[in-house]
Amino acid sequence: MTIYWVNSDGDDALTLMAAVERALAIGDVGTPPAPGATSSAVPANSTDAYLRDNLALAHATWSVDPHRIVLSNRSGLAAAINAFQRLVRRATWWYILPQWLQISEFHGAVVRVLDALSEKERRLDERLRNIEQMRLQAHLFALQQQIAVLRAERVDLERRITALEAQYAASRAADPDDKQRLSV
């Protein structure tokens, strides 16, 4: 089993399939993405540094390199230890390659699922903000309508009070004896 790393300029499925077909035709297996490659997925809350950093780490390290060895730093023996590890890797690649490929496929699937979930969370968060904004606008409109009704009622009440005060003043002016009876 061989893994083919294919790069394409677009996200169109036909373009991707043509790139895969070219790679298969010429036998170019390509190169895996460099460790430390940045993530294309952006968390919904871009201030969440923990999620952003772990998504970037997942993108950078999901592929298992079957030829990678743990480099030794021991003085004098480092070259011999590293050469021995390379020899063991080359001698056993046929045995461990299927497991590494299965692990790489699984890790790739997990990273793609994380990207899809992150994108879905971002879209849902945006939709929720839009819905909340619409509800706030509707609520604001209803409050403005209530304020307008209350202002109209206040103006009407002020007019009625003014009319009643004028009527009361006219009735008091018409009956001066009523003033004396009230004061006695």
Side-chain angles (χ1 to χ4, degrees):
M1 180 185 293
T2 305
I3 296 178
Y4 284 83
W5 298 94
V6 179
N7 294 323
S8 177
D9 295 333
D11 290 337
D12 181 31
L14 294 175
T15 307
L16 293 171
M17 292 305 292
V20 169
E21 189 176 329
R22 277 192 306 274
L24 289 172
I26 62 174
D28 181 20
V29 294
T31 57
T38 58
S39 169
S40 61
V42 178
N45 183 0
S46 60
T47 59
D48 189 356
Y50 177 77
L51 180 59
R52 183 183 58 244
D53 292 346
N54 280 304
L55 275 175
L57 182 64
H59 272 271
T61 60
W62 71 267
S63 176
V64 177
D65 181 10
H67 303 293
R68 183 176 176 202
I69 61 168
V70 178
L71 294 174
S72 175
N73 293 329
R74 292 185 183 176
S75 58
L77 295 175
I81 291 173
N82 293 341
F84 178 73
Q85 285 185 30
R86 284 188 188 93
L87 178 68
V88 168
R89 285 277 190 252
R90 287 188 181 144
T92 59
W93 72 268
W94 58 272
Y95 180 72
I96 54 179
L97 186 63
Q99 289 87 2
W100 277 336
L101 293 178
Q102 184 179 7
I103 291 168
S104 285
E105 288 173 6
F106 176 77
H107 288 176
V110 168
V111 169
R112 288 187 296 276
V113 166
L114 288 173
D115 284 345
L117 290 174
S118 178
E119 177 62 21
K120 187 171 186 173
E121 178 192 11
R122 186 194 61 75
R123 280 187 275 132
L124 287 174
D125 190 43
E126 181 179 318
R127 184 175 173 209
L128 181 63
R129 273 189 260 122
N130 289 340
I131 289 171
E132 287 175 347
Q133 186 67 25
M134 287 188 321
R135 283 188 182 161
L136 288 176
Q137 289 174 351
H139 188 64
L140 179 63
F141 180 74
L143 288 175
Q144 288 173 341
Q145 293 293 344
Q146 289 176 355
I147 289 171
V149 168
L150 290 174
R151 283 183 179 158
E153 287 178 2
R154 181 183 56 94
V155 167
D156 187 43
L157 285 174
E158 286 175 352
R159 239 184 283 129
R160 283 192 67 201
I161 289 172
T162 304
L164 287 173
E165 285 176 344
Q167 188 180 17
Y168 178 69
S171 71
R172 285 180 72 187
D175 191 13
D177 293 334
D178 192 30
K179 279 186 187 178
Q180 289 175 356
R181 274 190 252 150
L182 286 174
S183 59
V184 175

